[in-house]
């Protein structure tokens, strides 16, 4: 029993780091694809520059608002409650990552800026991938 608990204390953080790396890789890959789609869809140079400005603004929101706290909370709840469900980790990972820009904008004095659907899709896909990788490594044996 003690060795099992110690093994989980070591294995869970390793699985979390690996799943975070997987999420970042998916985020970078899909983000780059969406970025080039927007650039080539622009009809004029001015429209393209406007789209680039919007994408950079959303990237800034993502960079300042992204945190690992919701993912850690998801994992702690899953481990303590011994949840082994694939859907729990995949959907929870997607929601934890997709809702972060909204969560960090909520407490500000300025009006709540809703991120674009494209940004939410990319974040949710990265969260789904991270949740799936965590479930493969550690969540199945919670």
């Amino acid at each position: 029993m003690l060795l099992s608990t110690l093994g989980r204390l070591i294995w869970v953080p390793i699985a979390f780091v690996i799943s975070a790396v997987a999420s970042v890789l998916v985020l970078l890959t899909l983000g780059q694809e969406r970025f080039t789609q927007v650039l080539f869809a622009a009809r004029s140079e001015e429209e393209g520059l406007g789209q680039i400005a919007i994408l950079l603004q959303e990237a800034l929101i993502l960079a300042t608002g992204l945190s690992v706290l919701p993912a850690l909370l998801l994992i702690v709840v899953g481990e303590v409650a011994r949840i082994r469900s694939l859907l729990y980790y995949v959907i929870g990972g997607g929601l934890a990552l997709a809702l972060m820009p909204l969560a960090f904008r909520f407490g500000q004095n300025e009006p709540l800026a809703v991120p674009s659907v494209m940004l939410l899709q990319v974040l949710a896909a990265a969260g789904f991938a991270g949740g799936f990788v965590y479930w493969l490594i550690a969540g199945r044996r919670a």
Side-chain angles (χ1 to χ4, degrees):
M1 178 80 157
L2 181 64
L3 290 177
S4 169
T5 303
L6 287 176
R8 293 299 293 173
L9 286 175
I10 294 170
W11 192 241
V12 167
I14 291 171
F16 177 73
V17 169
I18 293 170
S19 68
V21 168
S23 290
V24 168
L25 290 175
V26 169
L27 187 65
L28 291 176
T29 304
L30 287 179
Q32 179 184 7
E33 178 185 343
R34 296 292 188 174
F35 185 75
T36 55
Q37 284 177 355
V38 167
L39 285 181
F40 286 114
R43 305 208 190 299
S44 67
E45 188 173 315
E46 289 179 8
E47 185 179 325
L49 291 176
Q51 292 293 333
I52 290 173
I54 291 170
L55 281 173
L56 290 177
Q57 180 183 13
E58 289 177 349
L60 180 65
I61 291 169
L62 174 65
T64 59
L66 195 59
S67 175
V68 297
L69 293 178
L72 283 175
L73 181 65
L74 181 80
I75 288 173
V76 167
V77 169
E79 290 293 325
V80 169
R82 302 183 76 68
I83 299 172
R84 296 181 181 179
S85 172
L86 171 64
L87 287 176
Y88 171 78
Y89 289 105
V90 171
I91 292 173
L95 285 175
L97 201 54
L99 296 178
M100 285 314 299
L102 292 174
F104 278 96
R105 289 281 183 149
F106 188 69
Q108 296 179 355
N109 292 335
E110 63 188 47
L112 185 63
V114 178
S116 72
V117 173
M118 179 178 27
L119 176 66
L120 294 177
Q121 288 174 347
V122 170
L123 287 172
F128 294 154
F132 180 69
V133 169
Y134 181 81
W135 177 81
L136 280 177
I137 297 172
R140 294 184 295 170
R141 294 177 237 117

